[in-house]
Amino acid sequence: MPTRVHEFAWPDRVVVGTIGVPGSRTFYLQVRTGQQIVSIAMEKQQSAQLAEKIDEILDQLITLEGNPFSVPTGTPIELVDNDQLEIVQEQFRTGAMTLGWDPTTAQVVIEAYPIAEVDAADDGSFEEDGAEVPEMLLVRMPVGTARAFAKRTREVVGAGRPACPLCGYPVDPDGHVCTLPEV
């Protein structure tokens, strides 16, 4: 059965944002082109790793001898997006992701797949004529947008609970008890 691909070749907006308070946030990768909008849930660690790897790809491109691509070293000011998420309807919860570079279009490519679950009740697929169809998200973004995406994602990830200066674990709003390692 063919996979339903939510494809965004040149998105108007691609961001990571959250819903909830620090310690109970849900992270979303949200992509929009015109009226088409897709939001997929992600783990905080997935979001952080995605931003880190995008920056690594872009930084490697800058160092390539004879590089024909104009890759910004920082975030272009006109691409900064600090707006909140638009209306969120979770398409699926992200399991595996791939990240790549398409030199033919000079775009960073993200592929996201739903978590594979034994229980098929809510596994990131939808029904078409009674049969479940698997889904995936495919996003292609130019280098400036990718740099802005990575910066915003790092800021969103970093806006969580502060770390305890003694143990390094997050401090809850209603208190924190450290368990220091025995010496």
Side-chain angles (χ1 to χ4, degrees):
M1 182 172 297
T3 298
R4 178 173 185 216
V5 178
H6 303 280
E7 184 171 1
F8 294 84
W10 293 91
D12 296 331
R13 184 173 196 226
V14 54
V15 295
V16 165
T18 61
I19 295 178
V21 297
S24 298
R25 299 185 296 172
T26 301
F27 285 74
Y28 290 95
L29 169 57
Q30 188 173 77
V31 190
R32 177 180 50 78
T33 297
Q35 297 298 313
Q36 180 190 11
I37 189 167
V38 171
S39 303
I40 60 171
M42 299 174 62
E43 293 297 325
K44 179 180 180 177
Q45 295 80 4
Q46 287 174 310
S47 302
Q49 188 80 19
L50 183 59
E52 180 183 325
K53 295 301 181 186
I54 285 173
D55 274 339
E56 282 181 18
I57 286 173
L58 297 176
D59 291 345
Q60 286 176 2
L61 286 170
I62 290 172
T63 64
L64 287 178
E65 191 173 322
N67 176 20
F69 310 108
S70 177
V71 179
T73 56
T75 301
I77 192 71
E78 67 274 10
L79 297 177
V80 171
D81 182 346
N82 293 321
D83 293 338
Q84 295 196 11
L85 293 173
E86 297 175 46
I87 295 173
V88 174
Q89 278 192 305
E90 184 178 312
Q91 195 68 40
F92 58 80
R93 178 159 289 282
T94 306
M97 296 182 80
T98 63
L99 181 63
W101 170 252
D102 184 348
T104 62
T105 61
Q107 291 178 305
V108 172
V109 181
I110 300 170
E111 293 179 354
Y113 302 89
I115 293 175
E117 297 179 15
V118 176
D119 177 17
D122 185 22
D123 65 354
S125 59
F126 70 100
E127 290 193 19
E128 186 174 278
D129 299 327
E132 289 190 12
V133 178
E135 297 182 83
M136 72 166 288
L137 174 65
L138 173 61
V139 180
R140 297 173 178 278
M141 61 180 131
V143 292
T145 302
R147 195 63 94 176
F149 173 88
K151 179 182 185 295
R152 175 193 166 114
T153 301
R154 283 191 310 278
E155 290 170 355
V156 168
V157 168
R161 297 175 289 170
C164 173
L166 297 175
C167 69
Y169 287 104
V171 176
D172 293 320
D174 52 333
H176 174 73
V177 177
C178 292
T179 307
L180 298 176
E182 293 183 28
V183 180

